[in-house]
Amino acid sequence: MKRESNPGKGGRRPKPENALVDNDGLYNPDCEGNGIFKARQCNNTETCWCVNSAGVRRTDKGDKNWKCTELVRTFWVIVQLTRNNTDSIPEADLKKAIADTITNRYKLPAKFITNIEFEGPLIYIDLKQNTTEKTPNDVDIADVGYYMEKDVKGDPIIPLDNPFQILVNGKNVPVKEPLIYYIDEKPHEISMKRLTAGVIAVIVVVVVAIVAGIVVLVLTRRKKGRYEKAEVHALVNLTVGFFKCILDLWDNCL
């Protein structure tokens, strides 16, 4: 989680600031008559939220009165894959094989595959499709990202006799660990303002434990006549750093 929240330092390609990952899992969506997601989803509960055209939550969650004025379109999908033992394959051949797989299996026009690049074992596939570029007959890039993720995980949705394969010179290139990033035409509206009671309780318990540890340390040092300000100062700094880490991780999860 820390590497993903600071991708530049971890050797991974930096992600767009407003990239969303589907961390909410499956839910029973409400759809329009033409099959697209309704902007507001509640999943038959009192809790509601807004989604993008890929069905991924893009706002905080609220009560049944939560308002969603429009369905914001996902115009950029980043597919991240991990490859195995492919160093001997020329990158040009592997790029072509990946592009051919996407166009043939998912029927996505090649013009929407804007970039394929490699960083060590990681493969990044950029799919971009603005509202003005997509015709009614074009496959949506959000669908391609979703189908590809299911294919790589071994749970395909597309009813094809041939399994998902990336073929280079007739040999399948194995990939795993798919991670899909969704970037919308408008910045998402997820914040930390609506922490759940459970998360707040955990933070309170951690705060109390750390404060109690500092108090015990101070009293112990004073009784032994070896009270050292440096040690307490170091512990305080550690506490501050710990909470900064919590905030970073929570913001990344959202």
Side-chain angles (χ1 to χ4, degrees):
M1 292 175 65
K2 187 63 177 176
R3 282 200 306 271
E4 290 177 1
S5 64
N6 296 283
K9 296 179 181 179
R12 297 189 177 188
R13 190 179 77 166
K15 301 300 182 298
E17 181 179 354
N18 289 297
L20 293 167
V21 178
D22 186 5
N23 287 322
D24 291 296
L26 296 177
Y27 62 94
N28 184 17
D30 292 324
C31 301
E32 303 287 358
N34 60 359
I36 67 173
F37 290 95
K38 288 185 177 180
R40 192 183 78 145
Q41 299 291 330
C42 298
N43 198 22
N44 300 320
T45 68
E46 294 291 321
T47 302
C48 299
W49 62 92
C50 302
V51 301
N52 57 20
S53 60
V56 178
R57 181 169 67 89
R58 53 170 280 107
T59 68
D60 293 326
K61 294 182 177 181
D63 58 25
K64 61 183 179 181
N65 297 316
W66 194 264
K67 302 296 183 182
C68 304
T69 58
E70 63 177 324
L71 181 69
V72 178
R73 175 169 174 74
T74 296
F75 79 99
W76 182 7
V77 171
I78 301 174
V79 180
Q80 177 184 300
L81 303 171
T82 301
R83 53 179 174 165
N84 289 330
N85 302 322
T86 59
D87 294 339
S88 60
I89 300 176
E91 288 191 354
D93 293 346
L94 185 52
K95 286 184 179 181
K96 184 178 184 305
I98 293 172
D100 289 344
T101 297
I102 294 174
T103 55
N104 294 332
R105 184 171 179 82
Y106 309 115
K107 310 305 179 185
L108 182 71
K111 65 180 180 179
F112 297 129
I113 308 173
T114 58
N115 188 38
I116 299 175
E117 63 180 279
F118 309 96
E119 286 188 6
L122 298 179
I123 301 172
Y124 295 101
I125 306 168
D126 290 289
L127 309 176
K128 290 186 179 181
Q129 187 183 58
N130 293 324
T131 301
T132 56
E133 296 175 324
K134 184 181 182 298
T135 67
N137 295 325
D138 285 332
V139 173
D140 195 290
I141 58 172
D143 293 338
V144 174
Y146 181 73
Y147 294 155
M148 195 168 185
E149 180 180 19
K150 300 291 282 186
D151 276 337
V152 175
K153 288 182 175 180
D155 185 22
I157 295 177
I158 300 177
L160 296 178
D161 295 332
N162 296 325
F164 171 81
Q165 291 181 317
I166 299 175
L167 297 176
V168 178
N169 298 323
K171 184 178 180 180
N172 181 42
V173 176
V175 292
K176 59 181 181 179
E177 300 173 0
L179 184 61
I180 314 298
Y181 294 90
Y182 303 90
I183 300 91
D184 299 340
E185 291 181 340
K186 294 184 179 181
H188 64 74
E189 301 171 15
I190 298 176
S191 68
M192 289 186 62
K193 295 179 180 180
R194 304 181 66 88
L195 291 177
T196 64
V199 173
I200 294 175
V202 171
I203 293 177
V204 170
V205 170
V206 172
V207 170
V208 172
I210 292 177
V211 171
I214 294 175
V215 171
V216 170
L217 177 62
V218 171
L219 294 178
T220 301
R221 293 302 185 188
R222 282 182 173 175
K223 288 181 179 180
K224 293 183 178 181
R226 294 185 293 107
Y227 173 51
E228 299 176 11
K229 293 183 179 180
E231 292 187 9
V232 176
H233 181 68
L235 186 55
V236 172
N237 286 340
L238 180 61
T239 303
V240 173
F242 175 78
F243 282 109
K244 286 182 178 179
C245 184
I246 288 179
L247 294 176
D248 289 342
L249 291 176
W250 177 255
D251 185 59
N252 186 58
C253 286
L254 290 176

